[in-house]
């Protein structure tokens, strides 16, 4: 089976850094998605690199528009027929934050957009891209050169956050973001239960907590974070890939932070 990778979206932030890192450390095709400026994103990902640019495919996809998700999946089906290819690694990382400090600050439209982006978006991605994962009877890939840089098990990783943990919630606030990420953790567990039946030990799903990263999502809160806990996106991408490669079957269906430690539900 030939392998490929999906990172969605990869227009900026952690997604961009993950795409860059995967291109640097593997030799298989990489599909990334963005809502706009596809050529610009491809140019930026290729800048300063010497890998074969034909490995990189940039597709239009907006998790708020299911038709674009379906179209991207259809294009991937033509590029990577499931009978001869499998999606070995996917990072699904859309994110949106409205930091409500009190119930009075909750805005219906903002909260709905948060759930559509953070929770329903990944749900639609699983709907359309899960057929690319290996089945239970799939033979293991024994080509060590092709497997270099990949987890040994086909892994779907969805971006969560520590604030999505109910047991860890001691401060309150951030109502829509917390709830949407708690939903992500439930989504990952439910999808992994599906994979147990459909794929056995050939595919797993996990949630990830990247910590506080220097991206547009968190820039308003950098001043409240200790310097040693505010991470560059490139460093976090490297750590998250290492975590995904090391989780294994025993870690399936759980949320893991950038340091490889489990985040309790």
């Amino acid at each position: 089976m030939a392998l490929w990778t999906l990172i969605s979206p990869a227009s900026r932030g952690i997604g961009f850094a993950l795409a860059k890192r995967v291109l640097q450390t593997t030799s298989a095709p990489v599909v990334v998605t963005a809502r706009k400026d596809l050529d610009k994103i491809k140019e930026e990902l290729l800048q300063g690199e010497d890998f074969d640019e034909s490995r990189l495919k940039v597709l239009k996809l907006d998790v708020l528009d299911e038709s674009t998700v379906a179209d991207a999946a259809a294009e991937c089906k033509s590029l990577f027929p499931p009978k001869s290819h499998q999606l070995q690694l996917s990072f699904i990382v859309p994110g949106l934050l409205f930091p409500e400090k009190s119930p009075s600050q909750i805005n219906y439209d903002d909260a709905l957009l948060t759930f559509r982006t953070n929770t329903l978006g990944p749900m639609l991605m699983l709907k359309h891209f899960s057929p690319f994962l290996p089945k239970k009877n799939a033979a293991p890939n024994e080509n060590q050169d092709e497997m270099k840089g990949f987890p040994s098990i086909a892994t779907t990783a969805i971006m969560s956050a520590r604030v999505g943990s109910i047991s860890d919630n001691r401060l309150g606030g951030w109502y829509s973001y917390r709830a949407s990420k708690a939903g992500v953790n439930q989504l990952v567990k439910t999808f992994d239960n599906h994979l147990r039946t459909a794929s056995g030990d050939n595919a797993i799903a996990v949630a990830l907590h990247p910590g506080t990263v220097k991206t547009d999502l968190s820039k308003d809160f950098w001043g409240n974070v200790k310097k040693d806990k505010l991470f560059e996106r490139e460093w976090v991408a490297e750590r998250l890939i290492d975590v995904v490669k090391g989780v294994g079957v025993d870690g399936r269906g759980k949320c893991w932070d950038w340091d490889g430690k489990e985040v309790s539900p």
Side-chain angles (χ1 to χ4, degrees):
M1 281 290 214
L3 310 180
W4 62 286
T5 300
L6 171 69
I7 299 113
S8 179
S11 51
R12 58 182 179 172
I14 297 175
F16 182 92
L18 285 167
K20 196 90 166 173
R21 183 67 180 173
V22 171
L23 283 163
Q24 292 167 344
T25 57
T26 70
S27 59
V30 176
V31 174
V32 306
T33 77
R35 291 180 299 168
K36 58 183 180 179
D37 300 328
L38 307 189
D39 291 339
K40 179 183 177 184
I41 291 165
K42 183 171 185 177
E43 180 181 343
E44 290 175 346
L45 283 170
L46 294 172
Q47 189 173 4
E49 305 293 346
D50 60 0
F51 42 71
D52 182 358
E53 67 175 79
S54 67
R55 288 177 54 209
L56 176 61
K57 185 72 173 179
V58 184
L59 301 181
K60 183 177 181 179
L61 188 152
D62 181 352
V63 293
L64 301 179
D65 181 352
E66 185 175 1
S67 68
T68 69
V69 181
D71 289 346
E75 187 160 354
C76 287
K77 187 175 181 180
S78 67
L79 292 168
F80 313 111
K83 288 186 178 181
S84 56
H85 296 73
Q86 73 180 33
L87 180 53
Q88 190 68 13
L89 178 61
S90 55
F91 288 100
I92 301 173
V93 298
L96 185 66
L97 168 62
F98 293 100
E100 313 98 338
K101 294 181 180 180
S102 70
S104 64
Q105 293 180 332
I106 297 172
N107 175 277
Y108 177 85
D109 290 335
D110 290 346
L112 181 60
L113 183 59
T114 298
F115 273 90
R116 290 183 65 202
T117 303
N118 296 355
T119 313
L120 297 179
M123 195 181 296
L124 292 176
M125 293 293 292
L126 297 182
K127 172 183 175 180
H128 290 280
F129 283 91
S130 58
F132 296 102
L133 297 172
K135 304 302 182 186
K136 183 180 288 188
N137 60 356
N141 192 319
E142 297 179 354
N143 186 330
Q144 295 301 313
D145 290 337
E146 191 175 36
M147 287 296 294
K148 183 180 179 182
F150 282 108
S152 59
I153 306 163
T155 303
T156 300
I158 301 178
M159 197 64 72
S160 184
R162 191 178 301 279
V163 296
S165 167
I166 295 173
S167 61
D168 190 65
N169 185 355
R170 297 176 179 85
L171 298 175
W174 294 24
Y175 289 83
S176 58
Y177 188 74
R178 283 185 184 274
S180 71
K181 291 301 187 177
V184 165
N185 294 340
Q186 182 68 277
L187 172 63
V188 166
K189 179 62 176 179
T190 302
F191 181 59
D192 187 72
N193 284 339
H194 162 76
L195 291 179
R196 287 176 184 268
T197 300
S199 303
D201 290 344
N202 290 326
I204 64 173
V206 296
L208 297 174
H209 166 59
T212 304
V213 187
K214 289 184 179 180
T215 65
D216 290 343
L217 181 75
S218 65
K219 64 182 179 180
D220 291 340
F221 316 106
W222 293 354
N224 300 325
V225 181
K226 295 179 181 179
K227 284 188 176 181
D228 62 342
K229 295 296 184 181
L230 183 59
F231 307 134
E232 298 291 341
R233 64 180 184 175
E234 293 80 10
W235 184 85
V236 167
E238 183 177 348
R239 291 297 303 128
L240 292 180
I241 291 172
D242 286 345
V243 169
V244 166
K245 287 165 63 178
V247 163
V249 172
D250 292 341
R252 65 188 307 164
K254 301 176 182 178
C255 182
W256 299 93
D257 74 6
W258 54 269
D259 201 26
K261 297 176 181 176
E262 183 182 352
V263 177
S264 58

